[in-house]
Amino acid sequence: MTAVKHDRVFLDKQHPAAYRALNGLGLKAREAAEEAGFDRKFVELINVRVSQINGCAYCLNMHVKMALDAGESQQRLAVLTAWRDTALFSEQERAALTLAESITDLPPHELAEHDYAFARQRLTADQTSAISWVVLTMNAFNRLSIVSQHPVRPDSSDWTPGS
């Protein structure tokens, strides 16, 4: 197999102090989510959904593994893109997913207002803010990885040559 030349700058490597600051923001967002009552499993589910919308393969690879490690089910991850069509998510989770999608997609004003109102009817101010910070931070990480074209390498635990 021939190595592919990577001509993109890895932004995290080029300016590590900026990356450390983003990482710090990510940790604070996760802390806020935990303080607002969202466990690590659900934060990772939100990270996966945001990464699906943005098409970030690197972040999807990482956060699906992290969600599974945190106890998220394979079934819920498998249907996450169609979460509205299942009964697998609680009202609070649906509100958080609605907010996450709206913040990521930035729909027209009327739809954004509808999404926000739906979320606020089901989430406290702390929960709304915490989920918003998780989503904003994940969007930044997605863009960092997409712009840098961070590679997804085969996982040696589930990959064999020729498969």
Side-chain angles (χ1 to χ4, degrees):
M1 185 183 294
T2 306
V4 175
K5 182 178 183 262
H6 190 279
D7 61 353
R8 291 290 183 118
V9 173
F10 287 143
L11 302 177
D12 49 327
K13 305 290 186 218
Q14 193 66 33
H15 287 96
Y19 179 69
R20 282 192 302 276
L22 180 58
N23 247 347
L25 178 60
L27 291 172
K28 290 297 182 186
R30 190 168 64 218
E31 284 175 19
E34 289 169 4
E35 290 170 6
F38 294 107
D39 63 9
R40 180 64 185 265
K41 177 175 72 169
F42 188 66
V43 169
E44 290 304 331
L45 192 77
I46 293 292
N47 289 337
V48 170
R49 184 65 190 120
V50 170
S51 298
Q52 288 173 334
I53 293 166
N54 289 324
C56 184
Y58 184 85
C59 292
L60 280 166
N61 186 59
M62 178 189 330
H63 289 285
V64 165
K65 288 178 187 176
M66 291 172 79
L68 290 168
D69 288 347
E72 187 53 77
S73 75
Q74 184 68 44
Q75 181 186 28
R76 283 173 31 119
L77 286 167
V79 300
L80 186 56
T81 59
W83 64 266
R84 284 180 176 85
D85 299 327
T86 75
L88 298 177
F89 301 91
S90 71
E91 275 299 302
Q92 187 179 58
E93 290 170 332
R94 290 172 173 282
L97 286 163
T98 297
L99 186 61
E101 290 181 355
S102 188
I103 291 170
T104 300
D105 286 336
L106 297 174
H109 179 74
E110 297 80 23
L111 182 55
E113 286 298 312
H114 178 268
D115 290 346
Y116 192 82
F118 176 81
R120 284 295 289 130
Q121 289 170 357
R122 292 154 181 84
L123 301 173
T124 68
D126 280 347
Q127 291 171 327
T128 301
S129 179
I131 288 297
S132 296
W133 278 109
V134 167
V135 173
L136 292 166
T137 305
M138 193 68 242
N139 274 291
F141 277 116
N142 285 169
R143 281 146 179 78
L144 169 73
S145 289
I146 291 167
V147 169
S148 297
Q149 292 185 353
H150 287 147
V152 176
R153 293 186 174 86
D155 184 350
S156 59
S157 66
D158 63 6
W159 179 83
T160 55
S163 64

